[in-house]
Amino acid sequence: DVNAVNGCRNTALMCAAENGHTDIVDALLDKNGIKVNAGNQYGHTALMLVAGMGNYSATAVKTVVLKSAPTFY
């Protein structure tokens, strides 16, 4: 389950984003049904975690932002 959570209710996407693992973030964001805007026990989303940590890459932030934003046509 791509949306499975750990004890703090962090998803794999949150963990990968928080730790700057851009390749894993990309792979997870390609999975059908992923809940990009899910919150953990503190209400933090993957975007909040990746942007709030000092060990992130600009690519990871951009990837999460682009995938979490609504699409307007």
Side-chain angles (χ1 to χ4, degrees):
D1 178 7
V2 73
N3 295 306
V5 296
N6 64 13
C8 294
R9 302 208 42 85
N10 286 326
T11 63
L13 177 61
M14 291 175 190
C15 294
E18 183 176 27
N19 292 291
H21 298 294
T22 308
D23 292 343
I24 297 171
V25 168
D26 286 337
L28 288 167
L29 289 171
D30 285 338
K31 299 291 183 184
N32 289 330
I34 190 154
K35 295 179 181 174
V36 177
N37 294 313
N40 65 13
Q41 69 180 13
Y42 305 107
H44 299 149
T45 65
L47 178 58
M48 294 166 94
L49 292 171
V50 73
M53 301 304 293
N55 57 348
Y56 64 87
S57 72
T59 304
V61 172
K62 180 180 174 183
T63 301
V64 174
V65 167
L66 290 175
K67 293 286 186 165
S68 63
T71 304
F72 298 100
Y73 293 96

